[in-house]
Amino acid sequence: MHNQDFFLNALIYLGASVISVPIAKKLGLGSVLGYLLAGILIGPFVLGLVGTEAGEVMHFAEFGVVLMLFIIGLELEPALLWKMRRSIFGLGGMQVIITAVIIGLMASFLNFQIHRAIAIGLILALSSTAIVLQTLSEKGLMRNIAGRSAFSVLLFQDMAVIPILAVIPLLATLGLPANLSESALNNITGVPALPGWLQLLIIIGAMTTIVIIGRFAAQHIFRLVAETGLHEVFVALALLLVIGIALAMDAIGLSPALGTFIAGVVLADSEYRHELETTIDPFKGLLLGLFFISVGASINFQLFVSKPLIIIQFVVLLILIKFIVLLILGRVFKLKKGYEFLFAFLLAQSSEFSFVLISFSKQNQLFDEETASILLLIVTLSMAISPLLLIFNDKMVSPILARWQNKLEYDEIEEEENPVILAGFGRFGLAIGRILLANGFKVTILDSNPSNVETLRKYGFKLYYGDVTRPQLLEKAGIKNARMLILSMAEHDNALKVAKYVREKYPEVKILARARDIFHTFEYYTINVKSVRREMFDSASELGEQALAELGYSKYEAYRATRTFKHHEEQITQELYKHWLEDSGKFIQETRRFSEQVSDTLQAEKNYSIHDTDCAWDVDSIKEEARSESNK
């Protein structure tokens, strides 16, 4: 019967995520909000498919946060972590202290005793590692300046959990009798109360052991397991490493997430880094999804219905306080041009560690049942609202800031009559710009990423910060006198918008565009922009050519086969566009037919002799030669 319940709950959780997350992603809401909505739907207050066990599932699924920090550690080199020390201890430390003080004062003003107010301030000052890191990863913001700053704050907060756990029993002794404080502390940390110097020695010893094992022993162990050729044993070893470190950290009273993060950083230079990352990633994703569903399912709507105004006021007040503090700190630490708002919205919620800290405070008789229940609901709702805050930032705040910054902070472009305007100077645009500049052409370069502009200016490139979707900016850049506009920007929707405007207003300007895929290419075709290149097609074709050479083709045969393939692809793109406009069913049918056609063509070219003087991409001559040979 127990097994039946387990499998039924597994079916419910997995089914909810499979249905809700794709819908949420399709609507542009993100996977985190999809998981939270799934949890709300299957929870005890909507469909009632899961009950009170959601809290237990949440504690189990918190291991996903541990795995996430291990993977992030693998992606960070120790030198990079050292460079981040100012933002970790400066920005992170100030955020925790200032936020805790303000929330504590606010709680004291609301008639909470001072020791309880301090505890509330410390608990609610933390932000959700799971939600923020998942969002940063999903939106590709981890290397963004706001994303890096948010990660630094979260890292400090993970370290701050340990002293907060130590302070809570002490705070309990300042109020009502708290004779359970020492035993409660032992239950949480797993070790008896020790002198401070001894506890510090144990922590230093544990960290040193992790570094030594990661630097010297782990390499040999992974090599021995890898040589067996059994992938499942490697998976078992990777999980053993993470779980072992997590248990060891928990046993000495440290954050398991912090311990595994350090282990990841130590292994960042290992040749097994990528294998570890790909091995752990599926477990991380599944457990994090389970965690978010559990958060949604654990929302106590009964308590919310009984005191809706009080709960809403507290949630709004919490988010507002944290947002203002983060916004000010963002400005102090020189986050500008909208990044300070993204940084503040990212960290404005409460943390999954708050669930542990509130329960711990309750065990120590610091909070009564009602206070603990209200705090848990406030934490849960703030986490559930977090994805909506980011959507609000993307849809409302960012566009307003962009318009305001256009007037105040975009670069003044020098009046130059350059023949070429290049919009977008990232990985793709940088190569185009270098080719043009090296050949003596004068180019006006525009980019909307301020950090990119700042970095590339150091290398001597003359480019301007600005939003190319603004007609005024194009006018200042000299679109009236330009011969060519190259749209190499990664924001594909914005590029289409610019192409439409220029095609209507300045039809004599030649437009060259970067496309994401074939369907994006077709969208350019609809506005009569035909000089379009798919962003990865040429580099992928060249790598395919190299693969053919490695597989036994001569260099000429590999070159010729690749040129035939590319020429065929260019020809059929025009034909497929017509079918795409007229009939989606015919489009799929023709796509399959063309795939078979290029395969036949390349096989014919391989099987029948072609002289060096022949055009390798002359498909008709290849077919004719193949037919004449077969008729002999």
Side-chain angles (χ1 to χ4, degrees):
M1 196 67 185
H2 179 72
N3 285 342
Q4 262 188 332
D5 291 341
F6 172 79
F7 286 122
L8 180 60
N9 284 333
L11 182 69
I12 291 168
Y13 277 96
L14 292 172
S17 61
V18 167
I19 293 169
S20 300
V21 175
I23 293 173
K25 289 277 285 182
K26 195 75 173 175
L27 295 173
L29 302 177
S31 65
V32 175
L33 191 55
Y35 284 122
L36 290 168
L37 291 173
I40 292 170
L41 286 173
I42 65 174
F45 301 99
V46 183
L47 297 178
L49 298 176
V50 296
T52 54
E53 75 278 359
E56 297 174 11
V57 173
M58 187 194 303
H59 290 306
F60 166 72
E62 282 174 2
F63 186 58
V65 181
V66 173
L67 294 176
M68 175 182 277
L69 279 166
F70 179 69
I71 289 175
I72 289 171
L74 287 172
E75 295 173 351
L76 280 177
E77 296 177 6
L80 179 60
L81 193 61
W82 177 250
K83 287 180 184 176
M84 294 170 64
R85 66 190 184 279
R86 179 173 174 268
S87 57
I88 292 171
F89 294 99
L91 181 56
M94 288 180 69
Q95 183 275 326
V96 171
I97 293 168
I98 294 171
T99 307
V101 168
I102 293 173
I103 293 175
L105 288 172
M106 194 65 68
S108 179
F109 178 74
L110 294 170
N111 296 323
F112 282 96
Q113 292 174 308
I114 186 65
H115 59 292
R116 291 180 176 174
I118 292 170
I120 291 170
L122 290 170
I123 291 168
L124 297 183
L126 308 180
S127 304
S128 174
T129 302
I131 288 178
V132 176
L133 293 186
Q134 177 76 358
T135 303
L136 291 175
S137 175
E138 196 173 294
K139 293 180 176 288
L141 297 174
M142 189 60 79
R143 298 188 182 278
N144 176 294
I145 187 170
R148 289 199 305 271
S149 300
F151 174 70
S152 300
V153 171
L154 290 170
L155 197 54
F156 182 86
Q157 289 179 359
D158 282 347
M159 291 187 280
V161 170
I162 312 309
I164 293 172
L165 277 170
V167 164
I168 284 173
L170 182 63
L171 291 173
T173 63
L174 300 176
L176 296 172
N179 51 15
L180 294 176
S181 60
E182 186 174 324
S183 61
L185 179 61
N186 293 345
N187 288 335
I188 293 297
T189 62
V191 294
L194 296 171
W197 64 270
L198 185 57
Q199 184 76 3
L200 180 62
L201 280 178
I202 291 172
I203 290 171
I204 293 171
M207 292 297 184
T208 305
T209 303
I210 289 175
V211 173
I212 291 171
I213 291 173
R215 280 288 181 194
F216 304 106
Q219 301 281 92
H220 303 293
I221 296 169
F222 281 122
R223 187 176 295 111
L224 284 172
V225 172
E227 285 173 355
T228 66
L230 298 172
H231 180 67
E232 61 271 21
V233 181
F234 193 92
V235 172
L237 177 61
L239 291 174
L240 176 67
L241 174 71
V242 177
I243 293 171
I245 291 171
L247 282 173
M249 292 299 101
D250 193 50
I252 64 172
L254 276 178
S255 164
L258 180 62
T260 50
F261 171 76
I262 292 169
V265 172
V266 172
L267 291 168
D269 295 328
S270 166
E271 63 263 35
Y272 297 100
R273 163 190 163 188
H274 296 296
E275 184 67 21
L276 279 169
E277 194 172 341
T278 53
T279 300
I280 295 291
D281 196 60
F283 296 98
K284 180 263 297 183
L286 187 61
L287 285 170
L288 277 179
L290 190 60
F291 172 77
F292 296 134
I293 293 175
S294 304
V295 170
S298 64
I299 295 176
N300 190 341
F301 284 100
Q302 194 172 353
L303 177 60
F304 179 76
V305 170
S306 65
K307 297 180 178 180
L309 290 178
I310 292 175
I311 301 298
I312 291 171
Q313 286 172 1
F314 283 163
V315 171
V316 171
L317 188 61
L318 170 65
I319 290 173
L320 196 60
I321 289 171
K322 296 189 79 170
F323 179 83
I324 292 171
V325 170
L326 289 161
L327 188 65
I328 293 171
L329 286 175
R331 291 281 177 89
V332 170
F333 280 79
K334 298 180 180 178
L335 291 172
K336 296 179 180 178
K337 298 177 179 176
Y339 288 117
E340 72 274 35
F341 282 88
L342 175 59
F343 169 70
F345 277 117
L346 277 168
L347 296 169
Q349 76 293 110
S350 193
S351 169
E352 57 274 1
F353 289 117
S354 298
F355 297 118
V356 177
L357 295 171
I358 292 168
S359 299
F360 184 35
S361 301
K362 187 179 165 187
Q363 287 176 23
N364 279 272
Q365 299 180 356
L366 188 59
F367 298 147
D368 56 33
E369 183 69 39
E370 184 182 10
T371 302
S373 298
I374 290 174
L375 284 173
L376 284 170
L377 184 56
I378 290 169
V379 168
T380 308
L381 287 174
S382 73
M383 290 172 69
I385 290 169
S386 180
L388 295 175
L389 294 176
L390 293 172
I391 292 170
F392 174 73
N393 178 62
D394 290 342
K395 304 294 183 185
M396 300 291 292
V397 177
S398 292
I400 292 170
L401 285 174
R403 286 197 293 270
W404 179 68
Q405 287 165 355
N406 287 343
K407 295 174 185 176
L408 299 180
E409 296 189 46
Y410 278 150
D411 290 336
E412 281 296 318
I413 299 174
E414 297 175 14
E415 294 289 344
E416 295 178 314
E417 294 188 1
N418 292 337
V420 181
I421 298 174
L422 177 59
F425 209 55
R427 294 173 302 168
F428 196 91
L430 182 60
I432 300 169
R434 289 178 64 193
I435 290 170
L436 293 173
L437 293 169
N439 282 279
F441 287 97
K442 292 185 177 180
V443 185
T444 301
I445 305 171
L446 309 173
D447 197 279
S448 60
N449 185 333
S451 58
N452 193 40
V453 170
E454 186 179 346
T455 301
L456 288 170
R457 279 179 175 171
K458 292 176 184 177
Y459 289 92
F461 291 103
K462 188 175 182 180
L463 66 159
Y464 302 99
Y465 169 57
D467 180 5
V468 76
T469 60
R470 293 176 59 238
Q472 304 97 304
L473 191 79
L474 283 171
E475 300 290 340
K476 288 284 289 180
I479 191 67
K480 288 182 180 177
N481 303 309
R483 289 168 49 195
M484 181 182 294
L485 169 66
I486 303 175
L487 298 170
S488 60
M489 48 211 284
E491 299 81 11
H492 304 295
D493 292 337
N494 286 344
L496 279 168
K497 190 187 299 182
V498 175
K500 286 176 186 175
Y501 172 78
V502 174
R503 179 56 70 230
E504 290 172 7
K505 296 284 288 185
Y506 305 100
E508 70 283 358
V509 175
K510 177 73 174 176
I511 300 176
L512 280 65
R514 162 191 183 180
R516 179 179 58 242
D517 50 34
I518 194 167
F519 300 107
H520 192 221
T521 302
F522 292 162
E523 290 184 73
Y524 276 115
Y525 286 177
T526 57
I527 55 174
N528 200 30
V529 174
K530 297 297 176 70
S531 299
V532 184
R533 301 299 297 179
R534 278 180 272 165
E535 54 189 20
M536 291 184 288
F537 179 73
D538 285 330
S539 55
S541 299
E542 288 174 15
L543 194 59
E545 180 183 332
Q546 187 176 342
L548 290 175
E550 295 288 341
L551 290 168
Y553 278 49
S554 69
K555 286 188 177 180
Y556 174 69
E557 286 173 333
Y559 166 77
R560 190 176 63 188
T562 304
R563 286 300 301 265
T564 302
F565 175 81
K566 290 172 72 173
H567 183 72
H568 182 273
E569 192 75 9
E570 289 172 3
Q571 282 186 324
I572 67 168
T573 301
Q574 297 286 345
E575 293 186 48
L576 285 175
Y577 171 61
K578 297 172 187 174
H579 296 301
W580 179 72
L581 288 175
E582 296 166 4
D583 183 359
S584 59
K586 187 70 183 285
F587 171 76
I588 295 171
Q589 183 182 337
E590 288 298 298
T591 301
R592 294 179 65 178
R593 185 176 71 81
F594 284 134
S595 296
E596 293 169 3
Q597 183 187 83
V598 72
S599 179
D600 292 342
T601 301
L602 289 170
Q603 287 301 317
E605 181 175 335
K606 179 183 176 183
N607 294 332
Y608 298 99
S609 61
I610 305 292
H611 299 291
D612 289 2
T613 52
D614 293 333
C615 291
W617 49 92
D618 186 349
V619 177
D620 293 331
S621 66
I622 293 169
K623 287 182 176 178
E624 184 61 37
E625 181 170 343
R627 275 195 294 270
S628 63
E629 287 289 333
S630 63
N631 289 333
K632 287 181 181 179

